[in-house]
Amino acid sequence: MSELVSMRTDGGVAVITIDNPPVNAIKYEVRAGLVDLVSRAAGGDAGISAIVIACAGRTFVAGADITEFGKPPRPPSAIAVIEALEACPKPVVAALHGTPLGGGLELALGCHFRVAAPGTRLGLPEIKLGIIPGAGGTQRLPRLVGMEKAMAMILSGEPIPVRDALDSGLVDEIVDSDLVAGAIAFARRAVAEKRPLVLVRDREEKLANAWGLSQFDTAAANYTKRARGQNAPAAAITALRAAITLPVADALRRERDLFLELVASDQSKAQRHIFFAEREAAKVPDIASAKAHDIAKAAVIGAGTMGAGITMCFANAGIPVTVVETSADALTRGLDTVKRNYRNTAARGGLATDEMDARIARITGTTDLAAVADADIVVEAVFEDMGVKQEVFGRLDGIVKSGAVIASNTSYLDIDALGRSTTRPQSVVGMHFFSPANVMRLLEVVRGAATSPETLATAIAVGRKLGKVPAVVGVCHGFVGNRMLRLRGVEAERLLLEGALPHEVDAALTDFGFPMGPFAMGDLAGLDVGWRMRKAQGLSAPIADQLCELGRYGQKTSRGFYLYEPGSRTPKPDPEVERLIVDTAAQRGVARSPLGKDAIVERLLFPMINEGARILREGIAQRPGDIDVIWVYGYGFPAYRGGPMHYADSLGLGYIRDRLTAFADKTGDGRHRPAPLLDELAAAGRGFASLPA
Ligand code: T1G
């Protein structure tokens, strides 16, 4: 019998407890232990009248053990565990707490009853791993909560709060007192009241009253439209549809076949890579023992677009935050932006009014910098200019209490130089949020040469507390993400001169899976932002510079690389821009010829990957997975392709090296020459993933 699963009895109720930290994943030993103990408790022992399934630690089973995927299956399967539960002639009650997810929720759906602790969040997140529920979730969930809700839960992968689960019939009772004791009491009542033991799989009433097939297909079409390029959403819809069209046993087999196909797919391998890379990216081996400071109060300097978003992050996480602006007008504008954002979210039903009011109440606005003296962390988000930032850091140095963390939201500038403009560079760190800061999940945590382990650990912990995905990077111009992005920008401009048009380049990248192409993104962000930066750095972009000289800054001027109808964000190709591109190419003696989608994608991504290899060799990023996480959570790289470095490995570094060499011969650009690390790995027939952690 497995140590990870144990059984005790409590007045005739067998309590089977899983204890497999950290998240009670149902790995082989847990499954074997469950089948053994459930069968025993279900057996003839008259002393046992009911069973409770519970978990020790911070959560009920949070799913199958993802590290087992791709390995030879070890029976019993999760399905066999559920069959053992369903074969039990005595009431089985699942006692849920924390995050019963995936196979964990499916296990609970195999029980007759489910009770849960307050704060429990229940879901089937498999879609985020490029798979679908594979142990009956697509068949049992709609039978409990109805098809509409089941479809929303399975296709979003987002968990629902326990109150919602109670209202929708997913759980039978919320236990405010001791959970296991409450579950035992529930089991005893079920025995005493001879409650019928109807298996979830046999419940048809919610399906019968649910959508007809046409409604199902209409709703399904809305989801598939948004899931471009991904296989799992379509498979989930097929499995859910089977719940309406097939007998349950056949539908369960259909689900299983689809699951097995997906779990072996490259898309799922890529998304599983991102799952684990996301958790690795915040780990810095040499500061493992450093203790993060407690953060009771925060401050943000600057209430512009980024400052307002960062302020909301702290308020959303329950941390009182003071936001400082130079003038009352600027402060009012910033606070109005914050309130407007909250009101819009509340209007869309994404936030309850009382919670909105609570968040706004955590925000204090001021024009007095001295007001941040007792903050535990200060995030500077002022204009992206070194002189301006150093002046602010110098003043903060004289105000902020000792031991507080002073962070900069700069997206390019030298954190070491900012540290040197204070007397405490050990307390200085970069916290690079992405716009909109209250939405985008990525946080590049920039470690300066003097940043102390405690300061770094604090910035990472704060990032997590704000619900971000922290990735630790070193100091260089543009850190990891923007440094690679700049190369993509250079290449995109080159492709225009060589024969492509903005909409062709953008279409190639959106077909690849990005939400937006470089030119539509430039128009959204404002072409003048990049223009100012290029001028400051003595750099140029042949087409974008001309557009800016013509006052075409993108959406904000209704003209950029594209035309925009008044009030519309839909980019329309502009013949005037096409003429400008053709003329510029002619002036520069560049012969234009048609470029295919694949060629465009290679030209945009391979130089970035090459720069990624340089970044790894310089130690600016610790792992290739960190780069992948940065691109997936900060720049829209499709998760089902695993990020640029994982994608490169899937193509083979030899192929990438050879393409880059061809690009270098064509463009004469030395940056296209394969980076030494890429060259070495390609020569050895290895990939980035083979690099030691
Ligand atoms: N398998 C293996 N390891 C897991 C794991 C899992 N399912 N979940 C978490 N871990 C590890 C994680 O890598 C980390 O390790 C540690 O646990 C803590 O996690 C049949 C087939 C539960 C909400 O997708 O969403 O069931 O870094 O840092 O922030 O249909 O973990 O410490 O070495 O994330 O508190 C479906 C995945 C699986 C849930 C907790 N389940 N997990 O978040 O901690 S597929 C999921 C999470 C499935 C069935 C199918 C989160 C969490 P390390 P953490 P956290």
Side-chain angles (χ1 to χ4, degrees):
M1 183 176 69
S2 151
E3 292 76 52
L4 303 179
V5 190
S6 60
M7 180 162 78
R8 64 182 175 87
T9 57
D10 182 322
V13 175
V15 180
I16 297 176
T17 303
I18 301 164
D19 189 1
N20 176 30
V23 296
N24 288 312
I26 37 172
K27 65 180 196 177
Y28 159 70
E29 292 86 344
V30 173
R31 300 191 302 268
L34 280 171
V35 167
D36 175 40
L37 293 178
V38 168
S39 314
R40 269 204 260 157
D45 177 347
I48 293 177
S49 59
I51 301 174
V52 165
I53 307 286
C55 287
R58 64 182 176 180
T59 181
F60 189 81
V61 175
D65 187 328
I66 305 168
T67 63
E68 287 186 336
F69 292 177
K71 297 180 182 144
R74 298 183 68 188
S77 67
I79 290 172
V81 176
I82 292 167
E83 285 167 354
L85 291 166
E86 292 191 328
C88 178
K90 305 168 184 176
V92 183
V93 179
L96 309 175
H97 73 292
T99 51
L101 300 173
L105 184 58
E106 291 173 302
L107 200 76
L109 292 169
C111 301
H112 301 110
F113 307 105
R114 286 147 295 282
V115 302
T120 305
R121 296 176 62 75
L122 308 86
L124 294 175
E126 284 85 347
I127 212 108
K128 297 182 179 179
L129 298 169
I131 54 177
I132 64 172
T138 65
Q139 303 310 310
R140 293 187 178 83
L141 186 66
R143 283 173 164 79
L144 267 190
V145 303
M147 185 55 80
E148 187 171 358
K149 190 158 194 77
M151 188 185 270
M153 287 178 67
I154 290 171
L155 282 157
S156 71
E158 293 305 324
I160 63 170
V162 69
R163 176 63 49 191
D164 186 356
L166 182 72
D167 298 344
S168 61
L170 182 50
V171 301
D172 300 285
E173 186 177 291
I174 296 178
V175 177
D176 291 314
S177 54
D178 177 275
L179 173 65
V180 174
I184 293 169
F186 187 100
R188 288 206 184 104
R189 282 201 306 279
V191 172
E193 297 161 10
K194 296 189 174 31
R195 287 187 64 173
L197 302 184
V198 184
L199 299 181
V200 176
R201 60 176 284 163
D202 298 331
R203 299 191 197 182
E204 298 298 338
E205 64 283 4
K206 280 227 175 149
L207 274 187
N209 312 337
W211 284 338
L213 272 183
S214 66
Q215 282 164 302
F216 177 96
D217 293 338
T218 310
N222 288 334
Y223 281 105
T224 29
K225 227 182 353 214
R226 278 177 266 148
R228 283 173 314 105
Q230 298 174 68
N231 302 331
I237 285 164
T238 304
L240 284 165
R241 200 170 196 279
I244 299 175
T245 58
L246 294 178
V248 66
D250 298 347
L252 284 168
R253 268 190 297 278
R254 187 88 184 89
E255 174 201 87
R256 189 69 186 168
D257 295 344
L258 290 162
F259 168 79
L260 292 173
E261 202 183 307
L262 288 167
V263 82
S265 70
D266 288 344
Q267 291 199 354
S268 180
K269 288 178 192 147
Q271 287 174 263
R272 291 177 341 236
H273 160 70
I274 291 296
F275 176 85
F276 289 113
E278 176 186 333
R279 283 147 184 86
E280 287 300 304
K283 295 180 184 162
V284 184
D286 69 315
I287 70 157
S289 58
K291 192 173 170 328
H293 303 329
D294 296 331
I295 302 295
K297 272 189 174 180
V300 177
I301 315 303
T305 310
M306 291 307 292
I310 297 168
T311 300
M312 291 176 71
C313 291
F314 283 109
N316 296 351
I319 300 172
V321 55
T322 300
V323 58
V324 186
E325 254 300 350
T326 49
S327 72
D329 286 356
L331 183 61
T332 307
R333 273 198 306 277
L335 293 175
D336 287 352
T337 305
V338 167
K339 290 177 189 143
R340 196 173 45 251
N341 287 346
Y342 278 132
R343 276 198 296 273
N344 291 346
T345 310
R348 285 195 307 272
L351 188 63
T353 310
D354 56 350
E355 178 52 25
M356 175 179 73
D357 297 341
R359 293 179 185 193
I360 292 172
R362 291 188 196 111
I363 300 171
T364 308
T366 179
T367 55
D368 176 11
L369 194 62
V372 308
D374 62 348
D376 302 300
I377 184 166
V378 180
V379 181
E380 163 276 312
V382 303
F383 188 64
E384 188 78 318
D385 174 87
M386 184 53 95
V388 173
K389 288 185 187 288
Q390 285 179 315
E391 192 267 337
V392 169
F393 267 68
R395 292 173 57 202
L396 286 173
D397 190 32
I399 292 169
V400 176
K401 69 181 178 185
S402 138
V405 168
I406 308 178
S408 174
N409 176 55
T410 178
S411 43
Y412 279 89
L413 300 173
D414 184 345
I415 295 294
D416 293 330
L418 290 177
R420 287 194 297 273
S421 56
T422 73
T423 57
R424 51 175 119 177
Q426 73 281 7
S427 301
V428 171
V429 67
M431 290 179 76
H432 176 206
F433 290 78
F434 286 72
S435 183
N438 55 309
V439 176
M440 293 296 284
R441 292 196 59 209
L442 180 67
L443 178 71
E444 266 185 330
V445 177
V446 188
R447 180 181 193 171
T451 303
S452 73
E454 292 69 30
T455 297
L456 190 59
T458 304
I460 294 168
V462 167
R464 279 230 163 108
K465 173 96 177 149
L466 303 186
K468 303 298 180 190
V469 176
V472 178
V473 300
V475 173
C476 69
H477 192 73
F479 316 128
V480 170
N482 283 343
R483 176 172 161 180
M484 293 167 71
L485 182 70
R486 205 174 70 72
L487 288 202
R488 191 184 82 178
V490 169
E491 221 50 41
E493 280 263 344
R494 258 199 194 116
L495 291 170
L496 295 182
L497 296 179
E498 292 177 20
L501 291 172
H503 65 275
E504 292 166 340
V505 173
D506 284 353
L509 222 52
T510 51
D511 285 3
F512 180 83
F514 279 85
M516 198 179 263
F519 298 117
M521 196 164 90
D523 277 1
L524 175 69
L527 301 178
D528 52 326
V529 181
W531 191 34
R532 257 201 313 278
M533 220 172 296
R534 286 191 299 277
K535 284 199 277 190
Q537 293 158 29
L539 299 170
S540 73
I543 306 298
D545 292 351
Q546 289 182 75
L547 294 177
C548 289
E549 277 140 22
L550 294 166
R552 301 178 66 118
Y553 296 157
Q555 287 190 13
K556 56 182 153 188
T557 56
S558 301
R559 300 177 318 142
F561 280 99
Y562 296 98
L563 274 177
Y564 300 84
E565 302 296 338
S568 160
R569 288 173 176 273
T570 310
K572 285 196 167 23
D574 185 346
E576 199 184 308
V577 173
E578 183 171 336
R579 261 194 308 283
L580 183 147
I581 292 170
V582 172
D583 295 350
T584 308
Q587 285 155 16
R588 290 166 172 251
V590 180
R592 302 187 81 244
S593 56
L595 282 154
K597 282 203 169 137
D598 295 347
I600 290 172
V601 167
E602 291 192 355
R603 283 286 297 275
L604 292 173
L605 299 188
F606 291 6
M608 271 176 41
I609 291 165
N610 202 29
E611 193 66 14
R614 293 191 183 99
I615 285 170
L616 286 170
R617 174 61 41 97
E618 294 164 23
I620 299 293
Q622 300 176 86
R623 312 163 191 94
D626 298 1
I627 298 177
D628 291 333
V629 162
I630 286 168
W631 271 82
V632 165
Y633 286 110
Y635 299 85
F637 198 104
Y640 64 85
R641 292 188 187 271
M645 310 315 274
H646 178 90
Y647 175 65
D649 281 357
S650 73
L651 296 179
L653 298 189
Y655 176 74
I656 304 237
R657 174 201 53 205
D658 300 346
R659 299 297 300 137
L660 282 165
T661 307
F663 298 166
D665 296 343
K666 177 181 174 61
T667 63
D669 183 340
R671 283 171 303 192
H672 284 159
R673 289 273 157 233
L677 176 62
L678 192 145
D679 224 3
E680 289 156 23
L681 290 170
R686 291 169 53 203
F688 290 117
S690 72
L691 289 168

